[in-house]
Amino acid sequence: MRFMERKRFNTPVFGVQFILVAMALYFVLSYIARAIFGVFDIEHVGATEILTYLFYGFGGGIIFCCAKDYMSDESKIKTYSAIVFLYIIMIFRDMGAQGWLTTHDTVVTKIRFFTSPTNPLYEKIIAGAIMLFIVLVFLYVLIKNIKTLTKGIINFEPVSWTSVTMFIWMIITQIVDRFPAEYCKATGVELAEPIRFAMKILEEGGESLLPLLIAIAFLQYRNALKNKEN
């Protein structure tokens, strides 16, 4: 891909630039649609959901194409396999899989699921085991690569900066997702509708960019390997 070889793509701040440009497009298009159609519910209209699945498909294709970059030794194969597993978990989460394991609650990722007496013990055990395994896989990837990641950040390596950007962006979208409900719970007052609309764009649009950021990191890693070979 010629785009991979461009200087701007292989800079530490490309991930941030990508987010800013993509979110600007999301906001412009959402407000244009709102102006045309009147009341415009970005969550239920399905546009961002379709885009998210398309982006996950694109990102999955990039990850698959970059598999050979991790086949040089057993350690890299394990790291690649763990990342693929976590990527699949992200897809299932976006599909609402956190609600598939419970018959009496909405999701299994909240403390109330485990503390509520109405939820069967076997559901808590199964959900807890799955969540523990996911956390352990994440910790495996993090601990195994933390030294390389830290060194890459200090040396302004693009793949490290893009990876950190992705993690920070993921946290931001989760905060934005929960803030309106938590604010209403704490104050008893809902945020103004224009603010809720803007935050919904930020949350829904922001989450859809996560697979693309992962794809960018994989492509930057491939380009770094090519530069080392040359």
Side-chain angles (χ1 to χ4, degrees), residues 84-120:
V84 170
F85 171 77
L86 293 174
Y87 188 82
I88 293 172
I89 291 300
M90 288 175 63
I91 296 174
F92 276 111
R93 177 195 170 278
D94 204 80
M95 293 172 63
Q98 59 270 38
W100 297 351
L101 298 173
T102 175
T103 55
H104 296 82
D105 212 324
T106 53
V107 294
V108 300
T109 53
K110 294 184 178 181
I111 296 177
R112 73 160 187 252
F113 169 77
F114 294 97
T115 57
S116 174
T118 59
N119 296 317

Side-chain angles (χ1 to χ4, degrees), residues 186-199:
T187 63
V189 179
E190 281 193 346
L191 291 169
E193 194 276 335
I195 297 177
R196 284 187 283 116
F197 180 74
M199 294 188 75

Side-chain angles (χ1 to χ4, degrees), residues 50-214:
I50 293 171
L51 279 176
T52 299
Y53 290 135
L54 287 175
F55 292 162
Y56 269 115
F58 175 80
I62 294 296
I63 292 173
F64 177 78
C65 291
C66 293
K68 64 180 181 180
D69 299 335
Y70 295 82
M71 299 300 147
S72 57
D73 59 68
E74 186 178 351
S75 178
K76 286 187 177 182
I77 292 175
K78 289 180 179 179
T79 297
Y80 177 80
S81 300
I83 293 174
V84 170
F85 171 77
L86 293 174
Y87 188 82
I88 293 172
I89 291 300
M90 288 175 63
I91 296 174
F92 276 111
R93 177 195 170 278
D94 204 80
M95 293 172 63
Q98 59 270 38
W100 297 351
L101 298 173
T102 175
T103 55
H104 296 82
D105 212 324
T106 53
V107 294
V108 300
T109 53
K110 294 184 178 181
I111 296 177
R112 73 160 187 252
F113 169 77
F114 294 97
T115 57
S116 174
T118 59
N119 296 317
L121 179 61
Y122 76 90
E123 288 186 358
K124 296 178 182 179
I125 294 174
I126 294 173
I130 293 174
M131 290 175 64
L132 178 61
F133 182 73
I134 294 172
V135 170
L136 289 176
V137 172
F138 173 77
L139 289 176
Y140 168 79
V141 174
L142 181 62
I143 294 172
K144 191 171 181 295
N145 296 279
I146 189 66
K147 185 177 179 180
T148 303
L149 189 64
T150 303
K151 184 179 178 182
I153 293 171
I154 295 173
N155 294 330
F156 293 93
E157 293 178 3
V159 63
S160 295
W161 277 69
T162 300
S163 299
V164 172
T165 299
M166 189 270 294
F167 284 122
I168 294 175
W169 187 242
M170 182 184 297
I171 293 171
I172 291 173
T173 57
Q174 292 305 305
I175 292 174
V176 172
D177 181 30
R178 287 168 172 75
F179 182 78
E182 294 300 325
Y183 178 85
C184 183
K185 187 186 298 183
T187 63
V189 179
E190 281 193 346
L191 291 169
E193 194 276 335
I195 297 177
R196 284 187 283 116
F197 180 74
M199 294 188 75
K200 181 57 66 175
I201 297 172
L202 185 59
E203 183 255 324
E204 293 286 336
E207 283 192 344
S208 73
L209 299 181
L210 294 176
L212 296 183
L213 289 170
I214 294 172

